[in-house]
Amino acid sequence: FFNAHENFHNRPGELCQHATFKTLELPFELLDHSYPFWTACCEDWTKHLVLTSRYLDSLESEAETADDEDKKRLQNIVKLKKEQIDAGVKAGSDELLKLVDMFD
């Protein structure tokens, strides 16, 4: 039964005779790709969200050369964005852990 079910669902997209959700690929996607990515992001998101990190670094650099009013405003924006990213990464990781717990 399992082999027939696996062969039915475990075909690459264009080679598949029918359009269906590939349920057997979900654990592999979660456990092999998504979970390690989110775990690493929780430890240090700047290494994995590189473009976002560069953008915030550029705002910090801009704040250093700005006048006092703009400097404070830019520093507040950078601080707020970093807090939002930290909260978003934590929430994303928590949601993923709920899904991963289903496969344990």
Side-chain angles (χ1 to χ4, degrees), residues 10 24-40 96 99-100 103-104:
N10 199 20
L24 295 178
E25 292 180 7
L26 183 60
F28 298 115
E29 172 61 30
L30 288 175
L31 300 174
D32 293 345
H33 301 288
S34 298
Y35 183 71
F37 173 79
W38 283 103
T39 303
L96 186 62
L99 292 173
V100 168
F103 299 108
D104 283 342

Side-chain angles (χ1 to χ4, degrees), residues 48-75:
H48 302 282
L49 303 174
V50 177
L51 295 178
T52 303
S53 179
R54 284 185 198 158
Y55 173 71
L56 292 177
D57 289 344
S58 72
L59 281 181
E60 284 180 328
S61 298
E62 188 178 327
E64 291 174 5
T65 60
D67 60 5
D68 289 339
E69 184 179 317
D70 284 340
K71 183 176 187 172
K72 184 155 180 74
R73 182 182 60 82
L74 289 172
Q75 287 173 338

Side-chain angles (χ1 to χ4, degrees), residues 10-27:
N10 199 20
R11 292 195 175 107
E14 65 273 0
L15 299 177
C16 193
Q17 299 284 331
H18 56 281
T20 130
F21 182 72
K22 297 181 181 184
T23 56
L24 295 178
E25 292 180 7
L26 183 60

Side-chain angles (χ1 to χ4, degrees), residues 80-95:
L80 174 66
K81 293 300 175 192
K82 286 183 177 182
E83 289 171 358
Q84 289 174 338
I85 293 168
D86 287 336
V89 165
K90 174 76 170 106
S93 178
D94 290 345
E95 287 299 314

